[in-house]
């Protein structure tokens, strides 16, 4: 799971698809990483673009690094290890 998250966040435009996560691991992303996601959203290191916005590939919600998150990527990645 951690490798999936780090790889997804490294794809800065695509990000991490919640639907892809659930299809692969059989669990909702926010059930597994609820605290980490909430903290990173609050810190402004990741974002969840609105439906239909850039980053929503018609596959449900997507999480991706913000511009600030790209500068501090290791701070994001270490929460999923």
């Amino acid at each position: 799971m951690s490798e999936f998250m780090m790889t997804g966040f490294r794809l800065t435009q695509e990000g991490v698809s919640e639907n892809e996560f659930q299809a692969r691991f059989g669990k909702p992303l926010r059930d597994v990483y609820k605290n980490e996601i909430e903290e990173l959203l609050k810190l402004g290191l990741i974002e969840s673009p609105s439906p239909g916005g850039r980053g929503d590939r018609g596959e449900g919600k997507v999480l991706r690094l913000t511009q600030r998150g790209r500068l501090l990527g290791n701070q994001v990645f270490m929460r999923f290890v």
Side-chain angles (χ1 to χ4, degrees):
M1 286 183 202
S2 59
E3 185 177 324
F4 178 88
M5 297 299 292
M6 289 188 291
T7 301
F9 281 127
R10 283 192 174 119
L11 301 172
T12 57
Q13 293 301 313
E14 291 83 8
V16 176
S17 166
E18 292 191 33
N19 285 351
E20 287 179 29
F21 184 94
Q22 181 150 357
R24 181 173 288 194
F25 301 108
K27 299 176 184 180
L29 173 63
R30 291 181 189 249
D31 284 359
V32 177
Y33 291 117
K34 180 180 190 276
N35 295 333
E36 293 85 348
I37 291 169
E38 286 178 5
E39 179 183 7
L40 292 167
L41 286 167
K42 190 181 290 186
L43 291 171
L45 298 178
I46 63 172
E47 64 184 355
S48 181
S50 61
R54 208 171 91 200
D56 180 2
R57 296 169 285 162
E59 301 171 3
K61 287 190 176 184
V62 173
L63 297 172
R64 66 179 182 202
L65 295 174
T66 61
Q67 184 175 1
R68 182 171 182 250
R70 282 183 237 131
L71 295 173
L72 301 170
N74 286 340
Q75 296 298 311
V76 175
F77 303 148
M78 71 181 210
R79 286 173 171 83
F80 298 101
V81 176

